[in-house]
Amino acid sequence: MEITYEIVPADIFQHSKEAAKGKLVTHIGSFTIAIVILLFVSADILLAVVAVFKNDGTIKITDPQILLRLVVGMAIWLGSYLFLVLVGKFGSKKLLQAPGKNGLFCEHKILFEETGFTESTDVNRSFHSWEGVDKIAETAGYVTIYVRLGQGYFIPKRAFPSKQAVLDFIDAVPANIARTFQTELGDKKPASDY
């Protein structure tokens, strides 16, 4: 089976958006900043509790200070999140403006064989055996083949002649992986059976 398709800049943004949907790792920077802010707010509240229990006037905390620190912390969190988004968009735009052939925004051909698949463009060619494939994932507009310790190959669904062809393809990849594993295993038992 051979699939031919073209990747355009809009595919990068759309695929990234679809692939990131619902994944914690996409918001890790934002969560880290929020946790740090919550820790500082918790420290302020703990200091206020100690001041109330000590009640000798040596620790002075006013409610507006805690509220002001919370507002400043939330502003820092929001500003940091927006900064990370802008840096990502700037890097993507810079990548898109690179002159010359880049092997990404061009026609791609993926040839699927019994032993693996070969992806080729005008500037590169890569072969991956089925045993090196980690998984296949589907989003609204793309099918992605994830290679262990390597890049993923995303294929726009528009490259398939029908929805049924997409479903058949998604079913075929795990079957190829399983068949390769069984062929290599031969008469041996899996390690978990020993």
Side-chain angles (χ1 to χ4, degrees):
M1 168 186 217
E2 183 176 301
I3 299 174
T4 302
Y5 59 95
E6 185 172 348
I7 298 290
V8 296
D11 286 323
I12 299 298
F13 296 116
Q14 187 62 30
H15 177 263
S16 297
K17 185 174 153 183
E18 290 179 16
K21 194 178 239 182
K23 293 190 179 173
L24 176 64
V25 73
T26 60
H27 302 291
I28 199 73
S30 180
F31 285 138
T32 302
I33 294 166
I35 288 171
V36 169
I37 290 168
L38 288 175
L39 288 174
F40 278 108
V41 169
S42 299
D44 288 342
I45 292 170
L46 181 63
L47 185 59
V49 169
V50 169
V52 167
F53 282 118
K54 194 167 180 186
N55 201 17
D56 66 0
T58 57
I59 302 175
K60 296 183 181 182
I61 298 288
T62 59
D63 290 338
Q65 276 182 332
I66 293 174
L67 183 60
L68 179 63
R69 286 174 63 118
L70 177 63
V71 170
V72 168
M74 296 306 279
I76 290 171
W77 172 77
L78 181 61
S80 300
Y81 180 77
L82 292 175
F83 175 75
L84 291 172
V85 168
L86 288 174
V87 165
K89 285 185 178 184
F90 176 75
S92 297
K93 285 182 182 180
K94 188 174 179 182
L95 175 68
L96 295 175
Q97 295 170 351
K101 292 182 179 181
N102 60 23
L104 180 60
F105 303 122
C106 59
E107 183 177 88
H108 295 250
K109 289 182 184 178
I110 297 186
L111 177 62
F112 297 94
E113 301 171 304
E114 191 173 311
T115 57
F117 70 95
T118 303
E119 186 262 354
S120 58
T121 69
D122 288 341
V123 297
N124 61 33
R125 183 180 167 140
S126 302
F127 173 79
H128 296 279
S129 67
W130 290 119
E131 64 189 353
V133 174
D134 186 35
K135 65 179 180 176
I136 186 166
E138 178 186 14
T139 61
Y142 302 89
V143 174
T144 305
I145 302 172
Y146 290 98
V147 178
R148 289 188 190 105
L149 301 176
Q151 64 187 19
Y153 293 91
F154 66 94
I155 305 167
K157 286 185 176 178
R158 65 180 180 266
F160 296 91
S162 67
K163 288 182 181 182
Q164 187 58 45
V166 172
L167 296 175
D168 292 344
F169 176 76
I170 291 170
D171 289 341
V173 171
N176 284 330
I177 295 168
R179 187 188 70 250
T180 301
F181 180 72
Q182 288 300 323
T183 302
E184 286 180 6
L185 196 59
D187 294 330
K188 299 177 194 174
K189 288 184 177 182
S192 61
D193 289 349
Y194 287 108

